[in-house]
Amino acid sequence: MSAIAPVLDRIDANLEASLERLFALIRIPSISTDPAYAKDCRRAAEWLVEDLKTIGFDASVRDTPGHPMVVAHHDGPQGSPHVLFYGHYDVQPVDPLNLWDADPFDPKVKELEPGRKVITGRGSSDDKGQLMLFVEACRAWKEVHGSLPCRITLLFEGEEESGSPSVKPFLDANSEELKADFAMVCDTGMWNRDTPCITVGLRGLVGEEVTIHAAERDLHSGVYGGAAANPIRILAKILGDMHDETGRITVPDFYDGVEETPSQIKAAWDKLDISPLLGDIGLSVPSGEKGRSIPEMVWARPTAEFNGISGGYEGDGFKTVIAAKASAKVSFRLVGNQDPEAIRASFRKFVEDRIPADCSVTFEKHGGSPALQLAYDAPIVTKAASALSDEWPNKALVLAMGGSIPIVGDFKRRLGMETLLVGFGLDDDRIHSPNEKYDLSSFHKGQRSWARILAALTA
Amino acid sequence: MSAIAPVLDRIDANLEASLERLFALIRIPSISTDPAYAKDCRRAAEWLVEDLKTIGFDASVRDTPGHPMVVAHHDGPQGSPHVLFYGHYDVQPVDPLNLWDADPFDPKVKELEPGRKVITGRGSSDDKGQLMLFVEACRAWKEVHGSLPCRITLLFEGEEESGSPSVKPFLDANSEELKADFAMVCDTGMWNRDTPCITVGLRGLVGEEVTIHAAERDLHSGVYGGAAANPIRILAKILGDMHDETGRITVPDFYDGVEETPSQIKAAWDKLDISPLLGDIGLSVPSGEKGRSIPEMVWARPTAEFNGISGGYEGDGFKTVIAAKASAKVSFRLVGNQDPEAIRASFRKFVEDRIPADCSVTFEKHGGSPALQLAYDAPIVTKAASALSDEWPNKALVLAMGGSIPIVGDFKRRLGMETLLVGFGLDDDRIHSPNEKYDLSSFHKGQRSWARILAALTA
């Protein structure tokens, strides 16, 4: 008999009790942004420590300048991998309270529609529900086998919803203790209720503010118009030239380090119904590179976006002014091995090459981080995908995300760890909003999924 | 003996008395924008009426909803032309008063530098000094000849510095009385202290505000970047495409109605030292059409200027947002016979043709007026230029202006009159600023210039 089958049975048998435990955690209003709830944050950390001790973890509350971390260790068989599982026990504020159907800190199971039960309450999905999946998987495994299949370290943060100010120094100060073979994070979502997914790519980001300076002062366009450089015109021309007719970015060497997504991954993405992404915001025409699918555009291709532009007279009515300066905020989303600082330098040269001799340009740097990319065919990805596909009606999707998840970058850069991102949230979970919920199927099959992933990665 | 020589002598002989009269007018603080000075505005109008009566004009104060007009008539010989001379008796406010070296309403003659005397005081140049030139020329002529060389109507406004709200209705209500063969306005400047000029062209203007609308709301560039239309990118591309590599405007049919400036005029302009125009504002590279001189660019060629641009996040720091909309204020300076509404329509189509199918654009109209252009070789121009060249060390320049003078458009459109623009202000007159002055040479030779122009136009 396989190691996993009785664990799954135990998870099924434990469901009611695991729900009670989640409810107990949700009842603690651990809102990290509001100092009035600081004691509740500590209570949530302490609750987790006590619960983890019942499984046999060496767990402790670890102070930080902000809300405490929970760190817990459990050993595994000789030669087994060491994994770090991350989650966060803090939750978003609940305002406006009057839009909630029920007390956000009095969780319930309710039937959303026939055959679809959900757990209600703040944090039911983000991230208390999700982090307890892994805890419950460990509990069931331990109860069945008397041990865990590998060495496991848990790190639960209490400041994720308020910018994670303590994470970086905590990782640095405890790098020896926390560094594992790889990390696992349960803070993402499923493609839909039947389709789990693994996020292997997170785009990087380079931010630049560019300001074109022309005349020493604002000018009257009647007197100077036609002879004096107009910085808005120079800026518009530069921005307008940054994409070619096919939607490709024209900054030299911009695509260095960009690799093609494997064809079998693209084929899987092509089957997805992605039209709501644009349809829900009133758009329909993909604006990216010609010949690329929407999933490629938002997950696997780099972009140049203009996030803000400003210059001259912006008020009501009209002024016939030629501005002294104009500026734009420009950002690049990066993929693969694109080098943020090389792209910043190439962009600046692209701009400088287009500035008339009597004008000047200044730049302000607004952050830069490379993309985070697990190989689509990395063993942890293929094994986890197979495990997920065993649990859910549909095969697991392997995809990427357009934005960033800071903790993944911190794990990579500070601890040298790759991260497996698997989560069971759904688009309608209303995280950060009134009436947050978590599907009971996510809570139940999510536990089973993590047990299967542990089994697959340690087989 | 010519008719003009004794008139010039009489002007010379009258100089002290004419200065006293100008001082009396300057002492009346006829600030039109400040209601506290409404009685002073009326006093200035009444002073002018009384003075004009001493010359034999049929002069009267004419009420308007704002400050009154002065209208005066004097007949001329049978068959002589009828000219309308326009000026304004109101002045700018004097704040900040502490920056004045002396009481702005206590005029003096002072020596600015050895051999250069100036008249100080608010309105000494703009426009009390300039309008009195013509009055004094008429006075000397009448004293010498007992008559004037042509039928003359004077129109002095009291609201020029506050937007001239009463001019249009007054012209419409009194068009029969005010319509002359042509108008003359003394509210412009000389090229330099030795070189008079005649302004024959005033560029027209079309103003448009264009707003590109994309998604229904602002978007997160991580989630949507690469797929969702970015209105700043669309706008920048459109604005960037509005000029070609040679600086020409690419809006179709934009140059319809633009005529080449006569080669002898261009040759005269080429001799001008125009470099201070850009040098004084820290620029050096003319931004207009390749192969055109700076005077052509600012006086005789049409332009497209971007007067303002706005979109997305414009505050400090950075937000990775894709805006729902972006907008720009665009203006065109027009010359020759360019049709403002045809250009507005062509511009709108140019923009609409470049809007993706799922985005939209809205326009807001901000005024439109055609250029005003006297033929460079019109008889009144060549005669006046010859008269001015007789008076001053250097030959008179015939040039154009980049901006507009609203009264000239009103005379053209409401009364069907062309306008001869001759003035004797200098760049350092500090009109609208503390320590306004008017060169005594402008005041003296300006009177002689108008007498010569009257003689030339009625010979």
Side-chain angles (χ1 to χ4, degrees):
Chain A
M1 197 182 106
S2 77
I4 184 64
V7 176
L8 299 178
D9 290 345
R10 181 60 65 106
I11 285 170
D12 297 348
N14 282 356
L15 184 59
E16 280 304 313
S18 69
L19 258 179
E20 282 310 316
R21 284 185 286 270
L22 174 60
F23 282 13
L25 181 57
I26 293 175
R27 286 190 193 106
I28 305 171
S30 48
I31 300 169
S32 60
T33 55
D34 186 342
Y37 295 91
K39 281 189 182 160
D40 295 300
C41 290
R42 179 166 292 272
R43 268 212 296 144
E46 289 166 347
W47 185 94
L48 281 163
V49 164
E50 291 312 308
D51 187 57
L52 292 168
K53 284 179 177 170
T54 68
I55 305 173
F57 277 91
D58 174 15
S60 55
V61 171
R62 305 280 284 268
D63 287 336
T64 75
H67 303 302
M69 304 276 180
V70 171
V71 178
H73 298 286
H74 197 294
D75 59 12
Q78 197 75 24
S80 68
H82 176 200
V83 305
L84 175 76
F85 180 89
Y86 164 93
H88 63 92
Y89 65 78
D90 64 318
V91 297
Q92 279 274 321
V94 294
D95 313 313
L97 196 55
N98 63 314
L99 295 184
W100 287 79
D101 295 337
D103 182 344
F105 298 112
D106 184 15
K108 300 261 191 285
V109 170
K110 91 177 201 189
E111 191 157 38
L112 197 65
E113 53 196 58
R116 184 177 179 196
K117 287 183 176 169
V118 300
I119 304 160
T120 63
R122 173 57 88 226
S124 57
S125 175
D126 180 20
D127 186 45
K128 288 174 174 174
Q130 300 236 64
L131 78 81
M132 286 303 288
L133 303 181
F134 191 82
V135 173
E136 296 298 344
C138 289
R139 188 189 322 271
W141 197 294
K142 184 76 179 282
E143 286 176 4
V144 168
H145 295 294
S147 64
L148 293 183
C150 64
R151 182 179 159 201
I152 290 174
T153 297
L154 304 175
L155 173 65
F156 297 144
E157 179 192 358
E159 301 178 326
E160 200 270 350
E161 303 294 4
S162 49
S164 298
S166 303
V167 157
K168 289 179 177 65
F170 192 81
L171 293 183
D172 289 345
N174 301 280
S175 58
E176 281 306 307
E177 178 183 359
L178 297 172
K179 178 167 171 31
D181 294 308
F182 56 90
M184 302 196 295
V185 172
C186 191
D187 200 14
T188 51
M190 298 177 63
W191 180 254
N192 59 33
R193 286 167 62 197
D194 292 334
T195 315
C197 59
I198 302 174
T199 304
V200 298
L202 298 171
R203 293 195 288 192
L205 186 70
V206 168
E208 282 279 284
E209 187 161 354
V210 51
T211 303
I212 314 280
H213 306 264
E216 288 165 357
R217 56 178 174 84
D218 288 357
L219 307 173
H220 188 292
S221 77
V223 178
Y224 293 95
N230 184 325
I232 299 176
R233 175 174 154 194
I234 297 165
L235 181 63
K237 177 72 176 159
I238 291 170
L239 300 186
D241 283 350
M242 278 180 59
H243 294 85
D244 71 12
E245 294 299 314
T246 70
R248 274 178 74 90
I249 293 146
T250 58
V251 173
D253 306 324
F254 180 76
Y255 289 93
D256 284 2
V258 178
E259 283 173 16
E260 277 301 315
T261 306
S263 55
Q264 73 276 21
I265 298 288
K266 288 205 275 193
W269 292 354
D270 286 344
K271 294 188 187 116
L272 301 176
D273 177 16
I274 193 87
S275 61
L277 181 83
L278 292 182
D280 288 351
I281 54 170
L283 296 176
S284 60
V285 184
S287 69
E289 297 161 87
K290 287 203 171 68
R292 302 282 178 184
S293 68
I294 293 178
E296 275 194 281
M297 290 176 185
V298 294
W299 297 335
R301 297 297 298 176
T303 68
E305 292 290 353
F306 310 136
N307 305 107
I309 194 163
S310 178
Y313 181 67
E314 303 182 36
D316 287 340
F318 212 90
K319 282 191 184 173
T320 51
V321 69
I322 298 177
K325 62 180 184 170
S327 62
K329 296 181 200 279
V330 177
S331 64
F332 301 93
R333 295 276 169 186
L334 310 185
V335 304
N337 293 310
Q338 283 180 296
D339 177 346
E341 295 313 315
I343 283 171
R344 190 190 308 282
S346 185
F347 167 70
R348 290 185 176 191
K349 182 167 189 312
F350 180 92
V351 174
E352 285 161 353
D353 286 349
R354 287 158 176 80
I355 303 293
D358 57 349
C359 297
S360 65
V361 58
T362 54
F363 297 95
E364 191 177 345
K365 175 178 174 170
H366 288 286
S369 55
L372 296 161
Q373 182 81 46
L374 271 175
Y376 286 96
D377 59 355
I380 59 171
V381 174
T382 53
K383 287 177 184 172
S386 173
L388 287 166
S389 302
D390 287 344
E391 176 65 26
W392 295 88
N394 294 340
K395 271 188 69 176
L397 272 173
V398 177
L399 47 72
M401 268 178 65
S404 61
I405 298 180
I407 190 72
V408 178
D410 291 331
F411 286 159
K412 173 84 175 183
R413 285 185 282 279
R414 288 165 196 275
L415 302 183
M417 288 191 296
E418 305 286 0
T419 297
L420 183 70
L421 285 159
V422 177
F424 302 93
L426 291 170
D427 285 346
D428 62 358
D429 276 358
R430 290 187 292 275
I431 63 169
H432 297 204
S433 297
N435 297 321
E436 180 176 350
K437 63 85 181 162
Y438 197 46
D439 274 46
L440 191 59
S441 65
S442 288
F443 186 65
H444 183 195
K445 293 168 78 66
Q447 295 179 34
R448 292 169 55 99
S449 296
W450 279 115
R452 287 184 189 273
I453 290 171
L454 281 176
L457 294 177
T458 56
Chain B
M1 197 182 106
S2 76
I4 185 64
V7 175
L8 299 178
D9 290 344
R10 181 58 65 107
I11 286 172
D12 297 348
N14 282 358
L15 184 60
E16 281 304 314
S18 69
L19 259 179
E20 283 308 317
R21 284 186 286 270
L22 174 60
F23 283 12
L25 181 57
I26 292 174
R27 287 189 192 106
I28 305 171
S30 47
I31 300 169
S32 60
T33 55
D34 186 341
Y37 296 90
K39 281 190 182 160
D40 296 301
C41 289
R42 179 167 291 273
R43 268 212 296 144
E46 288 167 348
W47 184 94
L48 282 163
V49 164
E50 291 313 308
D51 187 59
L52 292 169
K53 283 180 177 169
T54 68
I55 306 173
F57 276 91
D58 175 13
S60 55
V61 171
R62 305 279 284 267
D63 287 337
T64 74
H67 303 303
M69 304 277 180
V70 170
V71 177
H73 298 286
H74 197 294
D75 58 11
Q78 197 74 24
S80 67
H82 176 198
V83 304
L84 175 76
F85 180 88
Y86 164 92
H88 64 91
Y89 65 79
D90 64 319
V91 297
Q92 280 274 320
V94 294
D95 312 312
L97 196 54
N98 63 315
L99 294 185
W100 286 79
D101 295 335
D103 183 343
F105 298 112
D106 183 15
K108 301 260 190 284
V109 170
K110 90 176 202 189
E111 191 157 38
L112 197 63
E113 54 196 58
R116 185 177 179 197
K117 288 183 175 168
V118 299
I119 304 160
T120 62
R122 172 58 85 225
S124 56
S125 174
D126 181 19
D127 185 46
K128 287 174 174 174
Q130 301 237 62
L131 79 80
M132 285 303 287
L133 303 181
F134 192 81
V135 173
E136 296 298 342
C138 290
R139 187 189 322 271
W141 198 294
K142 184 76 177 282
E143 286 176 5
V144 169
H145 296 293
S147 63
L148 293 182
C150 64
R151 181 179 160 201
I152 290 173
T153 297
L154 303 176
L155 173 65
F156 297 144
E157 180 192 1
E159 300 179 325
E160 201 270 351
E161 302 292 5
S162 48
S164 298
S166 303
V167 157
K168 288 179 177 64
F170 191 81
L171 294 183
D172 289 345
N174 301 282
S175 58
E176 281 306 307
E177 178 183 359
L178 298 172
K179 178 166 173 29
D181 294 309
F182 56 89
M184 302 197 295
V185 172
C186 189
D187 200 13
T188 52
M190 298 176 63
W191 179 254
N192 58 34
R193 285 166 64 197
D194 291 333
T195 316
C197 61
I198 302 174
T199 303
V200 298
L202 298 170
R203 292 195 290 192
L205 187 70
V206 168
E208 283 279 284
E209 187 162 352
V210 51
T211 303
I212 313 280
H213 306 264
E216 288 166 358
R217 56 179 174 83
D218 287 357
L219 306 175
H220 187 291
S221 77
V223 179
Y224 292 96
N230 183 326
I232 299 175
R233 175 173 155 195
I234 298 165
L235 181 63
K237 177 73 177 159
I238 291 170
L239 300 185
D241 283 350
M242 278 179 61
H243 294 84
D244 70 14
E245 294 300 313
T246 71
R248 275 178 73 89
I249 292 148
T250 58
V251 174
D253 306 324
F254 179 76
Y255 289 93
D256 284 2
V258 179
E259 284 172 16
E260 277 301 316
T261 305
S263 55
Q264 72 275 20
I265 298 288
K266 287 205 277 193
W269 292 353
D270 285 343
K271 294 188 188 115
L272 301 176
D273 177 16
I274 194 86
S275 61
L277 180 83
L278 293 182
D280 288 351
I281 54 170
L283 296 177
S284 60
V285 184
S287 70
E289 297 160 87
K290 287 202 169 70
R292 302 281 179 186
S293 67
I294 292 178
E296 274 194 280
M297 289 177 186
V298 295
W299 297 336
R301 297 297 299 176
T303 68
E305 291 291 354
F306 310 136
N307 305 106
I309 194 163
S310 178
Y313 181 67
E314 303 182 37
D316 287 339
F318 212 90
K319 282 191 184 173
T320 51
V321 68
I322 298 177
K325 63 179 184 171
S327 62
K329 296 181 199 280
V330 177
S331 63
F332 301 93
R333 296 274 169 186
L334 310 185
V335 302
N337 293 311
Q338 282 181 296
D339 177 344
E341 294 314 315
I343 283 172
R344 190 190 308 283
S346 185
F347 167 70
R348 290 186 176 191
K349 182 167 189 311
F350 180 91
V351 174
E352 284 161 352
D353 286 349
R354 287 159 177 80
I355 303 293
D358 57 349
C359 297
S360 65
V361 58
T362 55
F363 298 96
E364 190 176 346
K365 176 178 174 170
H366 288 286
S369 56
L372 296 160
Q373 182 81 46
L374 270 176
Y376 287 95
D377 59 356
I380 57 171
V381 175
T382 53
K383 287 177 183 172
S386 174
L388 287 166
S389 301
D390 287 343
E391 175 65 26
W392 295 87
N394 294 340
K395 271 188 67 177
L397 272 173
V398 178
L399 46 72
M401 268 177 64
S404 62
I405 298 180
I407 190 72
V408 179
D410 291 332
F411 287 159
K412 172 83 176 181
R413 286 185 282 280
R414 288 166 196 274
L415 302 183
M417 288 190 296
E418 305 288 358
T419 297
L420 182 70
L421 285 161
V422 177
F424 302 93
L426 290 172
D427 285 346
D428 62 358
D429 277 357
R430 289 188 292 276
I431 63 169
H432 297 204
S433 298
N435 297 321
E436 180 175 351
K437 63 84 182 164
Y438 197 45
D439 274 47
L440 190 60
S441 64
S442 289
F443 186 65
H444 182 194
K445 293 167 79 67
Q447 296 179 33
R448 292 168 55 97
S449 296
W450 279 116
R452 289 184 189 272
I453 290 171
L454 281 175
L457 294 177
T458 57

